Amino acid sequence: MMKKITGSVLLMLLMQLCAHAQTRGFAYHAWLDTVTEAGFYNIEVTHTLNAHSKTDFSDVRIVNDSGKWVPHLLDVPGSNANYEPVFIDMEIIRKQITGETVSCIVKNDYRPLSEIVLRIKNTAVQRVFTLSGSEDGSNWFIINDSIMLAVTPEKGTDKSFCHISFPPSSYRYMKIVVKSNKTDPVNILAISAPTTTDEIPGKPKLRFSENPGCTITQKDSVKTSYIRVTQAEAYQFERISMLVGGVKYFNRRVDMYVPQGIDHSFANPGRLHESFTISNNSTLQFVVPHVKAAVFYLLIHNDDNLPLTVNKVTTALRYRVLTAYLEKGNYQLFTGNEKMDPPVYDLTKLNTRLPDSIPLLAFGPLMQPKGNIEEPMIAPKSGNRLFLWIAIILVLLALLYFSAKLTREVNKRKADGYDNEQEV
């Protein structure tokens, strides 16, 4: 009976040590708010957390009071929705052509708009046009008075299209007036408004979490502008937003480079990560492949045009949450372990329907453990430290006890064998 009790105690102590070993190797940890009621909770992946985690967040762990991992899901709300735009033709209620202009009035039946698309017969000319709005079709108010007609040919057809971006507007009617410069007018075939499934009521919308502001350094050469963008930390991002000036009308190609080491400069910006086009008609927001970088470079190809002035650059990551079922108690968040493989939890394999509304659970500042990060990180409570030392001492005493007992039994068997030989 004594052997069974001693073995059980030893097994429990070893299990406790293994649980604490699960928190080894992490560079950062933070305390979650106390859970007062059992249930599902969401933990937002903030810019602070994304800067200290792997790009797939496979090194993030939720740990309970016993030092054991708590299963969680990494979710990107709205990621399953279709965000490819579908262009729906707007009703043209009046189209007028004069010697100076061609104008179209369309009816807005959908929603507040920030973009429309003109479909025209192929043309190589450049035109400036205006966009106005009205509630009654009689009294007009200007939205943009100097939009450059920048057309893009449509493959396999004799048509082109022109995207127009503007501040969100909910006017009942919109009027496009294209100046003809005393020549023949452009042939406007249709005017469309994009709609996506994220605008259907009840559907989740794709959100972005913006990182803190960036520092910009710009250097202009004869045909290229070099912009070094420095973030406060190596934040992860999937979207770049720009604010530019210096030229009213522009349409330039931009190459984004990410350094591959510490030796980088304007002349050696690193690896080409993505290319996109900026223009005065665009929103100047661009989705790029997921990347984590403290510094990156933007090369704007000016050709023979005056250089642009980049006034502001911001980065953002798609909104992510960690979803976990938590019992009452205290929990910690661990991250910052490049050697950690993704966890395999049953929660990812179950078809459990999560609640529609899950409360957010905040966490405190990320902290680094004292000393070597390979040592177990224990909650900053003297009681836990004392318990760990007691557990270690008890394990050592148990090992010494069993070793001594085994030694006595071996010596006893040898002695019994010697006595038997003497009797023979």
Side-chain angles (χ1 to χ4, degrees):
M1 183 67 179
M2 186 63 184
K3 289 183 179 180
K4 291 183 178 180
I5 295 176
T6 305
S8 299
V9 172
L10 179 60
L11 181 60
M12 291 175 63
L13 293 174
L14 288 175
M15 288 175 63
Q16 188 69 29
L17 287 177
C18 290
H20 282 292
Q22 282 195 296
T23 61
R24 296 184 63 186
F26 292 88
Y28 301 93
H29 71 120
W31 284 97
L32 295 174
D33 289 346
T34 301
V35 177
T36 58
E37 184 178 349
F40 280 100
Y41 290 87
N42 280 339
I43 303 164
E44 181 182 354
V45 177
T46 63
H47 62 268
T48 304
L49 184 58
N50 85 51
H52 298 96
S53 304
K54 296 166 66 174
T55 54
D56 60 357
F57 299 98
S58 61
D59 58 338
V60 178
R61 298 290 186 274
I62 300 172
V63 179
N64 61 19
D65 271 341
S66 301
K68 296 180 180 179
W69 298 348
V70 178
H72 71 266
L73 296 171
L74 178 65
D75 186 30
V76 184
S79 61
N80 294 327
N82 177 23
Y83 292 93
E84 289 297 321
V86 176
F87 295 98
I88 300 177
D89 287 346
M90 306 173 74
E91 179 186 354
I92 299 178
I93 61 175
R94 188 168 67 200
K95 183 176 180 180
Q96 185 175 5
I97 301 173
T98 67
E100 294 291 330
T101 62
V102 54
S103 64
C104 290
I105 297 176
V106 294
K107 189 177 181 180
N108 178 18
D109 288 332
Y110 307 106
R111 64 196 185 288
L113 296 176
S114 60
E115 180 186 15
I116 59 176
V117 176
L118 300 184
R119 299 175 68 86
I120 63 176
K121 279 284 190 177
N122 278 346
T123 179
V125 301
Q126 290 188 339
R127 293 285 188 267
V128 174
F129 62 95
T130 62
L131 177 66
S132 303
S134 173
E135 293 295 345
D136 55 10
S138 299
N139 299 301
W140 295 94
F141 303 93
I142 197 69
I143 298 175
N144 195 328
D145 65 349
S146 55
I147 305 174
M148 182 65 71
L149 184 67
V151 298
T152 303
E154 189 176 277
K155 284 186 177 181
T157 71
D158 61 346
K159 302 176 183 63
S160 299
F161 56 89
C162 173
H163 286 265
I164 306 170
S165 298
F166 47 89
S169 177
S170 58
Y171 285 115
R172 181 64 170 168
Y173 301 95
M174 290 188 175
K175 180 171 64 175
I176 295 95
V177 179
V178 184
K179 298 177 182 179
S180 299
N181 294 334
K182 297 182 180 180
T183 63
D184 294 332
V186 295
N187 187 2
I188 299 177
L189 302 173
I191 300 175
S192 305
T195 183
T196 57
T197 57
D198 70 311
E199 290 158 347
I200 300 174
K203 289 287 185 180
K205 295 188 177 182
L206 191 62
R207 297 169 55 188
F208 282 85
S209 297
E210 196 166 285
N211 295 318
C214 306
T215 303
I216 300 170
T217 304
Q218 180 167 345
K219 179 181 178 182
D220 299 317
S221 67
V222 177
K223 291 185 178 288
T224 307
S225 293
Y226 300 85
I227 296 90
R228 179 169 58 226
V229 183
T230 305
Q231 304 195 100
E233 294 190 76
Y235 297 120
Q236 302 183 40
F237 58 94
E238 297 168 290
R239 189 186 71 184
I240 296 176
S241 301
M242 301 174 65
L243 180 63
V244 301
V247 178
K248 191 169 186 178
Y249 302 110
F250 58 90
N251 188 15
R252 315 278 173 90
R253 190 182 95 244
V254 179
D255 293 332
M256 174 186 168
Y257 288 84
V258 177
Q260 298 302 290
I262 59 174
D263 296 328
H264 55 84
S265 63
F266 289 123
N268 179 31
R271 174 180 54 83
L272 178 63
H273 187 69
E274 182 69 332
S275 296
F276 49 88
T277 300
I278 60 174
S279 71
N280 59 288
N281 289 340
S282 71
T283 60
L284 297 181
Q285 291 188 340
F286 308 96
V287 175
V288 299
H290 190 158
V291 66
K292 179 179 182 179
V295 179
F296 61 95
Y297 292 82
L298 300 175
L299 274 62
I300 303 177
H301 299 275
N302 301 315
D303 296 323
D304 297 322
N305 303 291
L306 292 173
L308 298 171
T309 302
V310 179
N311 298 313
K312 185 179 181 181
V313 175
T314 57
T315 64
L317 185 70
R318 283 187 298 170
Y319 181 77
R320 289 167 165 80
V321 292
L322 307 172
T323 303
Y325 185 87
L326 304 177
E327 302 287 351
K328 292 182 181 180
N330 297 309
Y331 297 85
Q332 291 186 79
L333 201 61
F334 285 79
T335 191
N337 189 341
E338 291 294 330
K339 299 179 181 179
M340 188 60 62
D341 294 325
V344 180
Y345 295 135
D346 290 337
L347 194 61
T348 60
K349 305 173 185 177
L350 300 177
N351 294 323
T352 303
R353 188 181 185 279
L354 298 178
D356 294 330
S357 179
I358 300 178
L360 276 175
L361 191 65
F363 59 89
L366 288 179
M367 299 176 291
Q368 290 182 298
K370 295 179 181 179
N372 192 299
I373 65 171
E374 291 297 332
E375 295 179 357
M377 297 203 308
I378 309 302
K381 297 178 182 179
S382 57
N384 284 343
R385 292 195 185 96
L386 179 61
F387 175 80
L388 179 61
W389 281 112
I390 292 174
I392 293 173
I393 292 171
L394 289 175
V395 169
L396 291 175
L397 290 175
L399 291 175
L400 289 173
Y401 168 76
F402 283 115
S403 298
K405 187 175 181 180
L406 180 61
T407 301
R408 287 196 301 270
E409 289 181 356
V410 171
N411 292 335
K412 183 179 178 181
R413 289 179 180 178
K414 287 183 178 180
D416 292 341
Y418 179 76
D419 292 341
N420 290 336
E421 290 179 359
Q422 290 292 331
E423 290 176 4
V424 175

